[in-house]
Amino acid sequence: MKFAPTTHMNLFDVYIDLQKFQKNLCLKKYFLKNPIERPNIFQFYQHTNLKEKSTFFPKSLISQEINTFEQMIMSDLGKFKTSTKSNNLTRKEREALKELTSNDKIEIKPADKGGGTVIMSAEYYKDESNRILNDQGTYKKLNKNPGKDIQERFTRYLEEGHSLGILNDQEFKYLKIEHPRTPVFYFLPKIHKDPVRPPGRPIISGVGSVSSRVSEYIDHQLQRFVTNTMAHLKDTSEILNILNDIGWESDLLLVTSDVQSLYTIIRHTNGIEATEHFLKKNDTLQPEQIVFILEGIRLILENNNFYYQNDFYIQLNGTAMGTRFAPSYANLFMAFWEESFLSNYRSNLVCYKRYIDDIFLIWKGGINTLQSFLQELDQNGRGIKLITP
């Protein structure tokens, strides 16, 4: 399907949007009359802008013009009649969609890559989920819900950071989740690897979990270090610009490679070691804040619990794809490893860039030396295995 099925207007949703618009107008008027003066205060620790959304609404500034505008909109909406007959799907297509969504014998998930939609049998989805979770080196089934104990650990961690001044008041209030939800496991089918029986990419949906905002805080702190690593690639436009600037020669080889199961192969000690290396590389963070960030990473990694079909699990190794700081953490893990060899191959590597686990390089020196280089990279002792077409 190349289009979105027709949806009918919900007047209540429109009214809510109108109230939000009204609030924004009032806020603009208020702060125009009462500008905030922000003093330039020296900050010993690096703080973020993370905070709870403000509920402030200066209703006294609702003017006659705003009221008139609202009344006119609501009046026009009352006259507007949506046709229940107009639809860009045929009756059979609508019935098919309804049947699919109510069919408990199938699972519908987005594809891991390519933007497609995959329909699997519920039996296959369960079997593949169990195959993933039965990896005893990565996951462990628990006898009970560990949520309460984990919440207490995070609370102590945040309170200590707040008492030391590493977290300011607004950060502390934002990061401390009073009523967290338990993360949920699911997987995305890799149909680019096997369209019939696609292996799954495990995802832990941790939105609203006790660690979700701590992970967000850590990601904010790590991102500036990630962008300064040697092989960091921002997006497709950057690699296109690089290719455009390279004077192509007949003996150059363009190579793509990806790291197999990057998120789950990172041993906690290796990942924390790599992160610590970059945090200490410059003087932007105080030693106590570095310790606080590393402790937060350790806390997230060692308490990565989740729920699947009435059972509770914990991830023993690696980091979950789904937690906010995972890409930054994985990037630093890879960058630390890359520092050990990139400078040794400057004459061969015309270009070496990486987007998380996808590596792009241009090699000068022939196919034999390239193969030797790739074989050397596979012998790294960190579990990194490259898959090169």
Side-chain angles (χ1 to χ4, degrees), residues 262-291:
L262 173 59
Y263 286 86
T264 54
I265 62 151
I266 305 174
R267 292 191 289 272
H268 296 345
T269 52
N270 289 343
I272 291 174
E273 176 193 20
T275 306
E276 183 177 12
H277 167 75
F278 287 103
L279 294 182
K280 290 182 175 179
K281 209 170 183 181
N282 56 49
D283 298 327
T284 59
L285 294 174
Q286 296 297 322
E288 309 94 281
Q289 190 165 17
I290 292 175
V291 172

Side-chain angles (χ1 to χ4, degrees), residues 36-51:
I36 299 176
E37 294 184 5
R38 302 184 186 276
N40 188 15
I41 301 175
F42 170 75
Q43 292 186 346
F44 189 68
Y45 296 114
Q46 294 288 325
H47 293 293
T48 67
N49 292 322
L50 296 175
K51 61 181 179 180

Side-chain angles (χ1 to χ4, degrees), residues 103-109 119-130 187 308-309:
N103 189 342
D104 60 2
K105 294 183 179 180
I106 61 172
E107 285 284 344
I108 304 175
K109 289 286 186 286
I119 300 176
M120 300 165 283
S121 70
E123 182 181 2
Y124 174 75
Y125 184 83
K126 182 179 179 180
D127 289 344
E128 178 62 12
S129 297
N130 288 332
F187 74 79
Y308 174 71
Q309 289 198 342

Side-chain angles (χ1 to χ4, degrees), residues 296-351:
I297 292 174
R298 185 194 64 78
L299 201 60
I300 294 171
L301 295 175
E302 294 181 358
N303 295 278
N304 186 22
N305 68 309
F306 58 90
Y307 176 83
Y308 174 71
Q309 289 198 342
N310 301 320
D311 288 316
F312 294 95
Y313 294 81
I314 195 159
Q315 186 166 335
L316 302 174
N317 207 15
T319 183
M321 179 175 283
T323 187
R324 183 71 175 268
F325 88 105
S328 295
Y329 176 72
N331 265 312
L332 294 180
F333 168 75
M334 290 294 294
F336 185 57
W337 168 64
E338 287 160 346
E339 283 190 354
S340 68
F341 65 81
L342 283 180
S343 59
N344 299 331
Y345 290 92
R346 287 176 180 170
S347 60
N348 299 103
L349 288 170
V350 178
C351 172

Side-chain angles (χ1 to χ4, degrees), residues 133 139-143 311-314:
L133 295 175
Y139 304 104
K140 178 183 178 181
K141 185 185 288 189
L142 303 175
N143 296 324
D311 288 316
F312 294 95
Y313 294 81
I314 195 159

